[in-house]
Amino acid sequence: MSNAPTAIEVENVDFYYGNSKALHDISLKIPKGLVTAFIGPSGCGKSTLLRCFNRMNDLIDGTSVKSGKIKIHGVDIYSKEVDVIELRKRVGMVFQKSNPFPKSIYENIVYGLRLQGINDKKMLDEVVEKSLRGAALWDEVKDRLDDYATGLSGGQMQRLCIARAIAVEPEIILMDEPCSALDPIATMKVEELIDELKKKYTIVIVTHNMQQAGRCSDFTAFYYLGKLIEFDRTEKIFTNPSKQQTEDYITGRFG
Amino acid sequence: MPETLEIKRLDQRPMTESLLSKNKVKFLGLGSDEIIKYFFSGSAWTAIIVLALITFSLFREGAGFFPQHHDSLKLYRLAGLEFVDYFRDQMTAQASLSRYLNELKLNKTLKLQAAGKGEAEIESLLAPLEQLRLDFDQAGLEGQALLDEMTSMAAGIKDRYTISEENRISRKQLIDAGMKEEADLLEIEDIDFAKEAENLKTTFLPKQKEVSATMAAKMKSLLAATKVENTIYEAEVNRFKATVSKYITGFDSVQMKMQDWTHDKPVPFYESITKFITGTKWVTQSFWQDWYGIVPLFIGSLTVSIVALIVAVPLGVGAAIYINQVASIQEQNFVKPFIEFVAVIPSVVLGFFGIAVLGEGIRVFTQWDMMAWVPGFPIAERLNIITAGLLLALMAVPSIFTFSEDALNNVPKAYKEASFSLGANRLQTISRIMVPASLSGIISAILLGFGRVIGETMVVLLVAGNRLEIPDFSAGLMVIFQPVHTMTGLVAQEIPEVVKGSLQYRALFVLAIALFLISLLINYVAQIFVRKYKISVG
Ligand SMILES: Nc1ncnc2c1ncn2[C@@H]1O[C@H](COP(=O)(O)OP(=O)(O)OP(=O)(O)O)[C@@H](O)[C@H]1O
Ligand SMILES: [Mg+2]
């Protein structure tokens, strides 16, 4: 299907919230260095699968991957030897609702570094500038790095969260509907940013916006009721899907 | 294509009719919305009115305190009690010096006994000390007798004045009631304070001078005669000698004060307030003079509360963090109701437990041989600051826990997720995100716990030891083993025995007002924190 090497390999994963099964036998290979979009109707399990990749679901009591494997760069991330902290440093996440900490812009960006015990001012300054430039936010906030992050606009906050995620230099960035709370212009900026970021990172993005999936992604996975229906190159999914369900969903005939 | 749904409406009337219909239920001409509105606003207003009435009556009863207190202070001077108290201070100091010797002897006896000495040997070793003590007491006897004489004279003046003031009032009442004959039976004496004061001074000044001089002479020769070189109490006795020498040189200034004293020096009104706020004595129903100084009570309340908070804050906040951030659901379901259950234990039960188990336990603990190295151990008092503080901590933990837990719960989950997604571990997330984000809520939880503790009555009344003195802070940390009295405890204790309208009665109201204001202040500060916290999170 693609000759790009695989970043995340999902093999026959079943996922449970307590006793209710949210993911049914999912298998797919997310290629490295490209953008993969997850689409599907509400409640179909996109976020659940995404949150498996950095083991965010561990925070919820009673969840489990009952069978199957998720490998990132060949390592089974649910095996006992895996250090979750390290995993989360390598697999960053941007959430649907922007969630900067109630701290200054500067402190938000350096949070991940401070966690690792890095407190060297010069180094932190560099990272702040690099990350904010990387998130296309530098010019807008460079004069007020000490201001409270919660005073930014919605779009700026979301890009700040992206900057915060890339500050710890992940290899994979997971984005769960990053633009759903943004206006069209802010959305456009984030999409441009994604185009820029994919040169350096593997990106998985969940979205409800078909145009966005079409514009930004190289691959698209379509889910329905906890099952993966179709996974293919984005052009193929949008022009010539092989499943009827996919076509119905994309053309909006189904809700 | 979805088939068209036939919606069957319950109300079949056309829209225009139903919008204009007025078939709502009416009761006494009020619609149901209005009834509900009046009911709830009624409840709110009842609460507000009751509160206002309470506040009003507190202040009305309390306000009379200050003029009455002022009168009492004036009479203290007019009747010459002040004059006598100058000399009393001198004699009290002598008595406490003598008590020091007594304690010294007791201590040394215990030490010698512990070292395995026989009784006869101990007696001979301590004989010079015992002699010093006896002679020192002896030196004060004359002064004590003189003081008694002075006391009864001044007290007599005061009594005569009080009685004729009372008679004056009764007489007026009797005359108003038309009972002229009975009224005439009541004697009224117009006391000439100037004459009485003159009399006091001429009678006692020379006597006091003479007695002090002999006292000083006796003590000096006593000190010179006492030889304690190479005894086990040499250092202490030398210190004692230095103190006594200083004490003797103070006699002159006492005489000066008595000489300069006049009965008619005006007492400014503000003293009735300042003496209340800064006074260090609370003495009531005394034949001599009542004192209303809030300081020992305030310090008592404060020390007990501080001890309680030092214990309760780490426990309450720690438990809240654990339950909110770490514990499993099963643990939460067990611990939360359990802690909340502690809050409903009646405080008298806690007090009983405090006396019977905790206080006794602490005392027994300090008596252990292995604890003997701690200076000040074993402790003498079973009821003290630490016992009361620990019990109050027990009462404060549930509110601190519950409100802190609420505060932590209110931190958006998104912060926590973001923190974890950036590679934080649990401890880092708690200390860098959760606690800072809920800090103002936690602080207000602590303040509310403080309010709970400082207002608590039963426990402190039962276990604080109720000693009306400022604890001796020179004991360092050991101060927590001393008994104190508290503002709440004192009000509860004195209310039953107080005469309505008396100075003491009003003093208790002022104490209650002070408590009220303190609680109000604490709550107000807590509110500020809560408000700030809402903003920082929202
Ligand atoms: N914390 C949870 N506990 C129990 N069930 C959950 C939990 N989170 C999600 N689910 C269930 O798992 C299923 C998948 O949810 P998920 O959030 O992954 O859907 P989604 O595709 O992201 O939907 P949306 O587009 O609305 O975000 C849903 O049926 C949902 O009800
Ligand atoms: Mg979702």
Side-chain angles (χ1 to χ4, degrees), chain A residues 17 20 22 40-49 60 96 176-177 208:
Chain A
Y17 286 107
S20 87
S42 186
C44 68
K46 308 176 296 288
S47 303
T48 305
L49 182 60
I60 303 170
Q96 173 172 8
D176 194 346
E177 300 181 46
H208 275 283

Side-chain angles (χ1 to χ4, degrees), chain B residues 380-427:
Chain B
E381 311 283 348
R382 184 173 56 156
L383 304 181
N384 51 33
I385 296 176
I386 185 80
T387 318
L390 286 177
L391 286 177
L392 289 180
L394 201 58
M395 307 183 66
V397 161
S399 40
I400 294 180
F401 168 81
T402 312
F403 290 114
S404 303
E405 222 251 335
D406 279 356
L408 284 164
N409 247 336
N410 278 331
V411 178
K413 226 175 70 207
Y415 290 169
K416 188 172 153 183
E417 291 196 328
S419 171
F420 277 110
S421 79
L422 290 166
N425 61 30
R426 208 184 327 238
L427 190 66

Side-chain angles (χ1 to χ4, degrees), chain A residues 71-167:
Chain A
K71 289 186 188 161
I72 293 186
H73 293 196
V75 179
D76 176 1
I77 58 165
Y78 278 87
S79 82
K80 283 214 174 61
E81 294 85 54
V82 166
D83 181 350
V84 189
I85 305 283
E86 282 304 319
L87 171 73
R88 290 185 187 142
K89 278 191 224 157
R90 298 302 179 98
V91 184
M93 187 166 221
V94 177
F95 298 83
Q96 173 172 8
K97 194 164 167 280
S98 63
N99 54 356
F101 299 125
K103 295 173 187 272
S104 67
I105 294 174
Y106 187 94
E107 282 304 318
N108 262 280
I109 306 276
V110 301
Y111 182 77
L113 300 177
R114 288 210 196 274
L115 292 178
Q116 298 166 32
I118 302 170
N119 284 311
D120 175 41
K121 175 86 174 121
K122 221 177 114 231
M123 188 165 172
L124 294 181
D125 287 349
E126 267 169 35
V127 170
V128 168
E129 177 166 355
K130 205 173 87 192
S131 315
L132 283 173
R133 282 190 192 285
L137 191 60
W138 174 253
D139 292 327
E140 289 161 64
V141 300
K142 63 171 184 258
D143 301 322
R144 45 176 180 146
L145 293 176
D146 290 329
D147 286 7
Y148 238 52
T150 37
L152 296 173
S153 77
Q156 288 173 327
M157 279 201 261
Q158 195 58 298
R159 278 178 285 148
L160 176 69
C161 292
I162 295 175
R164 183 176 66 183
I166 59 183

Side-chain angles (χ1 to χ4, degrees), chain B residues 128-171:
Chain B
L129 190 56
E130 176 65 5
Q131 192 57 47
L132 175 62
R133 189 179 73 84
L134 286 175
D135 292 345
F136 190 76
D137 273 356
Q138 184 70 38
L141 285 182
E142 228 176 310
Q144 200 60 50
L146 177 64
L147 179 62
D148 290 347
E149 223 178 296
M150 287 166 80
T151 301
S152 61
M153 181 149 163
I157 301 172
K158 184 181 169 182
D159 282 351
R160 272 159 52 211
Y161 175 78
T162 337
I163 290 171
S164 41
E165 280 309 293
E166 274 166 17
N167 285 352
R168 210 188 289 278
I169 293 167
S170 321
R171 178 137 133 193

